[in-house]
Amino acid sequence: MNRLLRVFVTGGAGYIGTHTCVELLNAGYEVVVYDNFSNSNAEALKRVEKITGKKVSLILGDIRDEALMTESMSGCDAVIHFAGLKAVGESVEKPLEYYDNNVQGTLCLLRAMEANSIHSLVFSSSATVYGDPEYLPLNESHPLRTTNPYGTTKLVIEGILRDLYRSNPLWKIMILRYFNPVGAHKSGLIGEDPQGIPNNLMPFVAQVAIGRREALNVFGGDYPTHDGTGVRDYIHVVDLAVGHIKALEALESPQCRAVNLGTGIGYSVLDVVNAFVQASGKSIPYVIAPRREGDIAACYADPSYAREILGWSASYNLADMCRDTWYFQSKNPEGYLLS
Ligand code: NAD
Ligand code: UDP
């Protein structure tokens, strides 16, 4: 029997949120999703219900609407906070929108939690808070710094959470620093459905494979990595979702800690392209293009603290990530709404 029964999930209609809702429902939790659909839609949640055969309560609202959130989370035992804007480039162009949505939205959320005496929180942070790595693999004690407003919103929120815990040790807070989430649920019903041109590698590669885009631009072929292209720690979104269940289970005593969720393995852009060719049987034309501004050469996690604190480690490999991305892409060639 889970001690925390009903979970309030902000941004639960999004990419990581939907996969986490599936794992929550399968583990016997009740789920209340709070989302403004700024980067998602109701269809994604219908598919969560289809996969699990269980009902999701949905509240259409913005996290900056503190009154609605305070009312909506009544009766919940814990919060998983995914809602936020996440495009690095857009955050450079629209910093105020990012600080308002992510930081102001989180302040509203925390006040709503206090008003309901809910003190258990799992927060979506990112490996971007480590900035350009001083050493690899990245452990949680690596210095924190950011290179763009999106990253700074995560760092500011992490600081707010630590201050909050210091002010009131009733709080039980798990900050999860995700590396690069990719892949999709094995049903092919839910997955990543970016609007417009994908910023991230895996969805772009998938759209080249399906014929929606002509070729991949590989941003930089002269990095000090094994083949000159950027190296990242790709993690299957279902592994990530399971990490959230483990994090909730670990919130038994007051704490505020940050934990990496990654595999510990770094793959280059060309490793991903080759794995995707294998998984899809499609050719993926690419050209080596100039480096993308602000990119780092390599980034991968030391996942040992997650194993120690959460009893969690990743179970899917790169071939699984490509297979599941491709299955979702081929079942939904134009995304959720047009498939
Ligand atoms: P997503 O855009 O698919 O999901 C975010 C959800 O939040 C969307 O459904 C969106 O409609 C909702 N939302 C945004 N602003 C809102 C607001 N003001 N009020 C209510 N709902 C709002 O993104 P995702 O990839 O699922 O990411 C989830 C979280 O994980 C984000 O906080 C993101 O910064 C973080 N994260 C993502 C990645 C990644 O690569 N996907 C990596 C590290 C961290
Ligand atoms: N990348 C690329 N072409 C693209 C998108 C990404 O070569 O169209 C590279 C990028 O330079 C980085 C890696 O793929 O080395 C992962 O990029 P992504 O944006 O997915 O994640 P992040 O850079 O945020 O870790």
Side-chain angles (χ1 to χ4, degrees), residues 314-326:
S315 59
Y316 293 104
N317 62 25
L318 183 62
D320 301 324
M321 300 177 211
C322 293
R323 178 200 61 215
D324 295 342
T325 302
W326 176 239

Side-chain angles (χ1 to χ4, degrees), residues 226-301:
H226 64 273
D227 60 14
T229 66
V231 163
R232 297 290 184 276
D233 185 338
Y234 297 95
I235 171 169
H236 197 295
V237 66
V238 172
D239 272 333
L240 195 68
V242 170
H244 290 73
I245 313 298
K246 297 283 188 187
L248 273 184
E249 287 168 358
L251 285 183
E252 285 200 331
S253 53
Q255 59 191 293
C256 178
R257 59 173 105 232
V259 181
N260 287 339
L261 292 185
T263 64
I265 304 169
Y267 287 107
S268 72
V269 175
L270 294 183
D271 291 334
V272 171
V273 169
N274 291 332
F276 210 94
V277 168
Q278 286 290 317
S280 64
K282 301 284 178 186
S283 66
I284 313 222
Y286 66 85
V287 287
I288 304 290
R291 292 181 178 190
R292 184 169 64 180
E293 210 188 311
D295 264 2
I296 54 178
C299 172
Y300 49 92

Side-chain angles (χ1 to χ4, degrees), residues 88 180 198-202 204 216-219 223 229-232 234 269 292 295-297:
V88 172
N180 289 57
N199 295 310
N200 296 111
L201 178 65
M202 189 67 93
F204 200 105
L216 170 73
N217 282 317
V218 176
F219 297 143
Y223 282 110
T229 66
V231 163
R232 297 290 184 276
Y234 297 95
V269 175
R292 184 169 64 180
D295 264 2
I296 54 178

